[in-house]
């Protein structure tokens, strides 16, 4: 009875847009179940059944270029979706595709390769100092000053075609990262500043205008449940909450709640997707983590640290996809009785490159983008009918 009453109260609060902690008098598990039931109730109340196609972009920052390349291929072939649901690094890929700050979607997606480090530098300093900045307000002011300095202005086209130019820019940024102040201390929640460049590459005002339903997920620490942010509410703060990976970034405070990256708990953001969109016939999944090829022996201590974060997510992603397919979707194909066709893009990475697939080197990013692009084109050819592919868009 206590759980039933608590669930009813949670549902009423959720419908009113009020954030509530787990109900008192319940165990932690009962509180979680009450929140989950309340969320499903709200999802059902606001559900629609006109959407037919959905794209699920999973987590995986180091090899995000795979997703970006595949998205570029789908964009080239004119593929669109009624719903786009994102976790972790998939949030960045999805927003670069649908709401880039500058340039075309294809150019914005290609730009992810410039977030990596020129090989001559990376082989001696295997850290992505472009993406991971020191924390603190002084560091933030420092990087604002660096961005305003014309000496650090980046010519994207020159960066792509001229390795010496790319090396020079990355060397200057390495100097800036080294000289950056920091307030990191033993009581800090994370090593790095929240994703520092997002407002420079994503047009957050445009997100409200994009055509598909769009979701970013983040794990609400207080409610112990995944929250999904819609296109009507997404701001840079919501993005930071959606990418707050433990230890790298501290939990992000938003609307009185603390959030971690959704991919930590749910690598593939299915729950709200299927509860809010009940008429889906085709669900396409970009999952760059759910593959055993990422499990390997480390090359060194730093590589071992990277693997310590990635390997647990491999099985989480695999289990999430299998659980959804067999328990909630009743299989993989509609012709075999499933609710929706569940299509996963397969990325065929040559064996000799698997050891480098998590590297932040420029050569790895370029290689992964091309592999992703070719995989996307092959996927379009194999599922043209389900994707509604018409004329080629240049």
């Amino acid at each position: 009875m206590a759980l039933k009453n608590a669930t009813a109260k949670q549902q009423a609060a959720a419908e009113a847009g009020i954030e509530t902690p787990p109900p008192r008098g319940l165990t932690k598990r009962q509180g979680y179940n009450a929140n989950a039931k309340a969320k499903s109730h709200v999802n059902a109340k606001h559900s629609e059944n006109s959407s037919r196609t959905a794209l699920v972009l999973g987590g995986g920052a180091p090899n995000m270029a795979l997703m970006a390349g595949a998205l570029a291929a789908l964009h080239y072939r004119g593929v669109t979706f009624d719903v786009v649901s994102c976790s972790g690094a998939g949030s960045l890929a999805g927003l670069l595709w649908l709401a880039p700050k500058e340039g075309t979607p294809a150019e914005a997606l290609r730009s992810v390769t410039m977030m990596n480090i020129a090989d001559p530098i990376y082989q001696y300093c295997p850290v992505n100092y472009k993406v991971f900045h020191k924390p603190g307000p002084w560091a933030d002011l420092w990087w604002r000053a660096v961005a305003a300095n014309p000496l650090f202005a980046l010519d994207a086209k020159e960066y792509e075609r001229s390795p010496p130019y790319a090396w020079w820019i990355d060397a200057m940024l390495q100097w800036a990262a080294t000289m950056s102040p920091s307030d990191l201390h033993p009581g800090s929640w994370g090593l790095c500043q929240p994703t520092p460049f997002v407002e420079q590459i994503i047009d957050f005002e445009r997100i409200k205008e994009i055509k598909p339903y769009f979701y970013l997920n983040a794990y609400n620490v207080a409610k112990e449940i995944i929250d999904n942010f819609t296109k009507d509410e997404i701001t840079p703060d919501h993005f930071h909450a959606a990418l707050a990976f433990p230890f790298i970034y501290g939990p992000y405070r938003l609307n009185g709640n603390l959030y971690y990256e959704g991919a930590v708990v749910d690598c593939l953001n299915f729950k709200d997707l299927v509860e809010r969109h009940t008429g889906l016939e085709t669900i396409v999944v970009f999952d760059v983590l759910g593959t055993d090829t990422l499990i390997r022996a480390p090359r060194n201590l730093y590589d071992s640290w990277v693997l310590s974060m990635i390997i647990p997510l491999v099985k989480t992603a695999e289990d999430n996809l299998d659980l959804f397919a067999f328990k909630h979707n009743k299989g993989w194909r509609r012709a075999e009785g499933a609710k929706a066709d569940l299509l996963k893009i397969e990325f065929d990475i040559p064996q000799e490159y698997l050891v480098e697939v998590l590297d932040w080197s420029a050569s790895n990013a370029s290689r992964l983008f091309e592999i992703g692009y070719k995989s996307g084109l092959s996927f379009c050819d194999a599922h043209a009918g389900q994707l509604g592919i018409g004329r080629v868009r240049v």
Side-chain angles (χ1 to χ4, degrees):
M1 178 63 70
L3 178 59
K4 183 177 180 180
N5 291 337
T7 300
K9 292 179 180 179
Q10 292 295 96
Q11 290 172 355
E15 290 173 10
I18 301 172
E19 298 289 350
T20 58
R24 294 182 179 181
L26 302 181
T27 66
K28 197 170 185 179
R29 175 53 55 183
Q30 287 175 326
Y32 170 84
N33 289 335
N35 284 327
K37 288 181 179 179
K39 183 179 183 184
S40 294
H41 176 81
V42 173
N43 282 341
K45 184 175 180 179
H46 297 284
S47 66
E48 60 85 30
N49 64 1
S50 61
S51 298
R52 295 293 178 262
T53 60
L55 173 65
V56 176
L57 299 173
N63 47 7
M64 186 183 68
L66 281 172
M67 280 190 284
L71 272 178
L74 267 62
H75 175 75
Y76 173 72
R77 296 295 297 272
V79 178
T80 60
F81 295 91
D82 298 318
V83 189
V84 178
S85 183
C86 305
S87 296
S91 305
L92 180 57
L95 289 174
L96 284 174
W97 172 42
L98 294 170
K101 187 82 169 184
E102 297 179 353
T104 66
E107 291 170 339
L109 289 166
R110 180 76 195 189
S111 73
V112 302
T113 61
M114 292 186 285
M115 296 179 189
N116 286 34
I117 308 300
D119 286 33
I121 298 175
Y122 190 82
Q123 63 180 324
Y124 296 109
C125 180
V127 177
N128 194 336
Y129 47 82
K130 294 180 182 177
V131 173
F132 305 112
H133 288 183
K134 297 174 185 177
W138 290 108
D140 184 54
L141 288 174
W142 169 260
W143 282 106
R144 289 179 186 271
V146 168
N149 189 327
L151 291 176
F152 290 88
L154 172 64
D155 184 329
K157 292 183 179 179
E158 185 68 14
Y159 189 96
E160 285 193 48
R161 65 174 174 248
S162 174
Y165 176 81
W167 175 84
W168 172 248
I169 289 293
D170 286 1
M172 292 177 65
L173 290 174
Q174 185 186 38
W175 173 85
T178 302
M179 299 303 294
S180 170
S182 170
D183 69 355
L184 187 68
H185 56 85
S188 296
W189 283 0
L191 292 176
C192 303
Q193 196 88 329
T195 318
F197 49 81
V198 60
E199 293 178 73
Q200 301 172 27
I201 60 177
I202 294 172
D203 188 342
F204 283 90
E205 293 301 317
R206 283 182 56 192
I207 296 175
K208 299 178 178 63
E209 302 170 2
I210 62 179
K211 187 174 180 180
Y213 290 93
F214 188 88
Y215 303 99
L216 302 184
N217 79 342
Y219 180 71
N220 189 317
V221 177
K223 294 192 299 182
E224 298 180 304
I225 202 167
I226 292 289
D227 282 347
N228 275 269
F229 308 127
T230 68
K231 64 182 180 181
D232 295 322
E233 64 183 324
I234 293 171
T235 66
D237 285 325
H238 293 87
F239 183 88
H240 294 322
L243 268 78
F245 194 90
F247 187 61
I248 302 298
Y249 307 113
Y252 196 83
R253 190 174 298 278
L254 176 64
N255 298 330
N257 290 304
L258 292 178
Y259 285 94
Y260 276 125
E261 177 177 315
V264 173
V265 176
D266 189 359
C267 292
L268 301 169
N269 192 15
F270 285 125
K271 177 179 170 62
D272 280 19
L273 174 68
V274 296
E275 288 185 349
R276 288 201 172 221
H277 307 282
T278 57
L280 292 175
E281 297 176 352
T282 302
I283 302 175
V284 175
V285 180
F286 281 27
D287 176 21
V288 297
L289 286 178
T291 169
D292 288 339
T293 59
L294 296 179
I295 302 176
R296 56 172 174 76
R299 290 167 290 176
N300 49 47
L301 187 61
Y302 178 79
D303 194 39
S304 183
W305 174 63
V306 173
L307 289 172
S308 73
M309 294 181 284
I310 297 298
I311 288 178
L313 297 180
V314 170
K315 287 304 177 185
T316 300
E318 286 184 345
D319 291 345
N320 283 351
L321 186 56
D322 288 340
L323 177 64
F324 173 74
F326 295 111
K327 183 176 180 179
H328 301 289
N329 196 51
K330 308 301 181 185
W332 292 83
R333 298 291 180 267
R334 295 175 68 207
E336 300 169 359
K339 294 180 180 178
D341 284 321
L342 191 58
L343 309 176
K344 179 181 176 182
I345 289 189
E346 301 293 343
F347 299 102
D348 187 16
I349 303 173
Q351 183 72 28
E352 63 267 28
Y353 297 130
L354 288 177
V355 71
E356 302 173 19
V357 77
L358 297 177
D359 287 359
W360 290 99
S361 65
S363 61
N364 182 52
S366 296
R367 182 187 308 121
L368 292 181
F369 186 91
E370 295 304 325
I371 291 173
Y373 191 83
K374 292 178 181 178
S375 298
L377 292 179
S378 297
F379 182 82
C380 288
D381 292 337
H383 303 285
Q386 291 158 300
L387 298 175
I389 294 176
R391 65 183 179 86
V392 173
R393 179 172 57 188
V394 179

